[in-house]
């Protein structure tokens, strides 16, 4: 799988002394700056192609790699274990990377994307997820001088998933009459570390003229609840809540 690391200068002035410290998806990894748990449940491996540098920066930026899961951006610290690509002995052990922009000054509105490829292990169960993350260190160039700061984006996740579509048909109670215009909400249910259920992402849809509603891209082996949230005029709202888990067989059915 390919992962892109994006940086864009949205400030009104240039930025300089830029460094990107990143973590590939691996079990137990943490946010680069805040240190919180990313929630990754499996480990990927970086391929030996490493970080792909945009052509404009090819002669300027340098990339370093480390087996250390929580290094800082100091290239000189031995415990960080930073190595250039030609010094890496086993790419399977690489967990982190550091992109140093050198003396490059990034103009306002400029954007770069650094790509790398990871290998996902075979035999993983559905709905395991692993996240990549990076932090950016830089100086904001102002009339008063350089203002050193840092920022980090949201995490990016890889999910091991099989998906399916759910089709629902609404009938009038006790009759074969199909009911259009009924609105349903389907919500993903997760269980936290304390064993308590929490509600996640929701999708809504409305039954068509044939009384049918199709909800696409639901995850196999995940729990959902479905309930009617709005009914056409002259019909009573169905207050039942249905819980279900979709299964996919070896043939993808």
């Amino acid at each position: 799988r390919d992962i892109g690391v994006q940086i864009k200068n949205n400030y009104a002035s240039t930025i300089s002394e830029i460094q990107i410290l990143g973590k590939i998806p691996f079990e137990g990894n943490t946010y680069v700056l805040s240190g919180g748990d990313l929630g990754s449940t499996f480990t990927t491996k970086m391929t030996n192609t490493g970080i792909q540098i945009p052509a404009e920066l090819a002669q300027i930026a340098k990339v370093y790699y480390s087996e250390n899961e929580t290094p800082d951006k100091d290239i000189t610290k031995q415990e960080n274990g930073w190595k250039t690509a030609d010094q890496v002995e086993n790419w399977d052990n690489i967990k982190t990377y550091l992109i140093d922009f050198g003396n490059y000054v990034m103009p306002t509105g400029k954007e770069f994307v650094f790509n790398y490829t990871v290998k996902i292990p075979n035999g993983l169960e559905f709905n395991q997820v692993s996240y990549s993350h990076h932090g950016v260190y830089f100086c904001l160039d102002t009339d008063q001088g350089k203002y050193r700061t840092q920022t980090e984006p949201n995490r990016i996740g890889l999910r091991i998933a099989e998906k399916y579509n759910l089709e629902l048909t609404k009938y009038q109670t006790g009759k074969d009459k199909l009911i259009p215009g009924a609105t349903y909400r389907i919500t993903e249910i997760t269980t936290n570390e304390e064993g308590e259920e929490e509600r996640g992402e929701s999708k809504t849809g409305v039954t068509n003229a044939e009384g049918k509603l199709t909800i696409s891209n639901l995850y196999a082996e995940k729990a959902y609840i479905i309930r009617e949230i709005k009914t056409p005029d002259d019909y009573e709202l169905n207050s039942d809540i249905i819980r279900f888990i979709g299964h996919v067989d070896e043939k993808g059915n």
Side-chain angles (χ1 to χ4, degrees):
R1 292 293 186 271
D2 293 333
I3 297 176
V5 181
Q6 181 187 45
I7 179 172
K8 182 176 182 180
N9 181 9
N10 290 317
Y11 292 96
S13 64
T14 61
I15 59 175
S16 59
E17 299 184 30
I18 306 165
Q19 292 178 301
I20 299 176
L21 196 160
K23 300 184 178 183
I24 73 169
F26 63 86
E27 184 176 0
N29 61 359
T30 56
Y31 285 91
V32 172
L33 300 183
S34 64
D37 184 16
L38 282 167
S40 298
T41 59
F42 67 90
T43 295
T44 67
K45 296 178 180 179
M46 180 179 280
T47 64
N48 60 10
T49 55
I51 303 289
Q52 303 303 299
I53 302 176
E56 187 175 343
L57 297 174
Q59 303 303 317
I60 305 172
K62 293 183 179 180
V63 183
Y64 302 88
Y65 305 89
S66 177
E67 299 180 8
N68 190 328
E69 297 183 359
T70 56
D72 62 37
K73 60 185 178 66
D74 189 343
I75 300 170
T76 65
K77 286 174 62 174
Q78 186 175 359
E79 56 266 38
N80 284 332
W82 290 120
K83 297 178 180 180
T84 55
D86 60 299
Q87 296 173 323
V88 174
E89 297 177 354
N90 188 345
W91 286 92
D92 287 351
N93 295 334
I94 295 301
K95 296 292 191 297
T96 50
Y97 59 87
L98 179 69
I99 305 172
D100 191 327
F101 282 56
N103 59 5
Y104 179 77
V105 178
M106 192 169 182
T108 298
K110 189 69 174 179
E111 179 181 358
F112 291 110
V113 177
F114 299 82
N115 294 303
Y116 65 94
T117 303
V118 295
K119 296 178 290 185
I120 298 175
N122 296 323
L124 294 174
E125 296 181 356
F126 287 153
N127 299 309
Q128 291 198 57
V129 64
S130 195
Y131 297 94
S132 64
H133 193 255
H134 65 276
V136 182
Y137 304 87
F138 63 99
C139 286
L140 182 61
D141 302 327
T142 71
D143 293 338
Q144 292 74 39
K146 291 181 177 293
Y147 173 69
R148 190 173 301 278
T149 186
Q150 59 194 39
T151 186
E152 62 182 355
N154 294 325
R155 60 187 181 176
I156 299 176
L158 301 173
R159 183 192 289 266
I160 306 303
E162 190 76 44
K163 293 184 178 182
Y164 65 95
N165 298 334
L166 174 71
E167 185 177 280
L168 174 151
T169 304
K170 180 174 176 61
Y171 294 91
Q172 184 175 349
T173 302
K175 299 181 180 180
D176 291 333
K177 184 178 180 180
L178 300 171
I179 308 300
T183 304
Y184 286 85
R185 177 182 291 128
I186 294 180
T187 304
E188 181 181 331
I189 299 299
T190 59
T191 303
N192 61 26
E193 295 180 354
E194 286 73 36
E196 301 170 337
E197 288 193 345
E198 297 178 346
R199 298 191 178 188
E201 180 182 353
S202 292
K203 299 184 178 185
T204 59
V206 181
T207 55
N208 62 18
E210 289 75 40
K212 294 184 182 297
L213 163 66
T214 299
I215 300 292
S216 60
N217 293 323
L218 299 181
Y219 290 105
E221 311 304 327
K222 294 288 288 186
Y224 293 88
I225 59 171
I226 182 170
R227 66 183 305 172
E228 188 176 22
I229 60 174
K230 185 179 180 181
T231 192
D233 295 339
D234 301 327
Y235 290 94
E236 183 178 348
L237 185 71
N238 187 337
S239 59
D240 292 343
I241 299 177
I242 301 173
R243 179 190 174 102
F244 66 93
I245 298 176
H247 302 284
V248 178
D249 62 24
E250 295 180 354
K251 296 181 180 180
N253 299 317

